[in-house]
Amino acid sequence: MQAWGTMVVTLTMLMVATVDTKIYERCNLAMKLENAGLNGFLGYSIGDWLCVAHYESGFDTSFVNHNPDGSSEYGIFQLNSAWWCDNGVTPTQNLCHMECQDLLNRHILDDILCAKQVVSSRNGMNAWDSWTRYCYGHDLSQWLKGCNMHAKPNAKRMTS
């Protein structure tokens, strides 16, 4: 009977975790990012942020990637457990002072605040290999096409 109770609790928690995740639609995410003050933050545009989120997670808040070094990357911006959050396994700097699990739900304000810290570090958006490979120096206007927003697709960068 106790095993049955444990299974019910586990399944319930998995259902809650699954229900609380989200794969964002591009324009919806763009509006959230703009409302959170990311347009022009340290010279980066909403196009930069959308490009990174697309190539890192496919706009999926529940995405987790496990790295060969034992660290993992979490959430829509794939924030690394060795530096930015605590997953309870990897030795971490936990520079965002948060649990990695908190990056895996539809509520992305904490993800955004942590990503702002990442960009504020000396590497800027170069902290994401995907930004360097797919976003930097490219026309980012496609990311806002059809989104009916005030944001400019290519803000003037202060860093690169």
Side-chain angles (χ1 to χ4, degrees):
M1 186 68 163
Q2 186 178 11
W4 173 251
T6 302
M7 187 171 76
V8 169
V9 169
T10 301
L11 287 174
T12 302
M13 290 183 69
L14 285 173
M15 286 178 10
V16 169
T18 303
V19 170
D20 200 34
T21 65
K22 181 172 185 166
I23 299 175
Y24 275 89
E25 184 271 323
R26 179 178 50 87
C27 291
N28 183 277
L29 179 59
M31 289 172 53
K32 281 210 172 273
L33 298 175
E34 183 177 44
N35 290 341
L38 286 182
N39 194 43
F41 182 75
L42 295 181
Y44 297 105
S45 70
I46 296 298
D48 287 301
W49 293 100
L50 288 172
C51 185
V52 165
H54 170 77
Y55 285 105
E56 290 292 327
S57 68
F59 305 142
D60 185 351
T61 65
S62 68
F63 193 75
V64 177
N65 182 43
H66 302 287
N67 298 316
D69 68 1
S71 69
S72 297
E73 296 170 343
Y74 293 84
I76 202 159
F77 294 117
Q78 290 294 278
L79 299 163
N80 190 283
S81 63
W83 293 98
W84 305 106
C85 62
D86 184 4
N87 65 4
V89 177
T90 310
T92 182
Q93 297 292 314
N94 196 8
L95 296 172
C96 289
H97 309 288
M98 65 187 310
E99 300 295 320
C100 296
Q101 198 67 24
D102 294 340
L103 297 166
L104 300 177
N105 58 44
R106 70 177 47 242
H107 310 289
I108 62 169
L109 183 57
D110 50 1
D111 304 56
I112 291 168
L113 293 173
C114 187
K116 280 181 161 183
Q117 270 194 266
V118 173
V119 169
S120 297
S121 71
R122 67 182 156 92
N123 290 329
M125 281 234 173
N126 289 311
W128 286 280
D129 290 336
S130 63
W131 181 78
T132 307
R133 187 175 303 139
Y134 302 111
C135 312
Y136 178 67
H138 291 88
D139 177 13
L140 301 174
S141 63
Q142 67 179 350
W143 295 105
L144 292 177
K145 201 170 265 180
C147 290
N148 192 25
M149 296 176 57
H150 301 293
K152 301 260 190 284
N154 295 312
K156 185 176 181 182
R157 268 182 214 92
M158 291 185 269
T159 61
S160 60

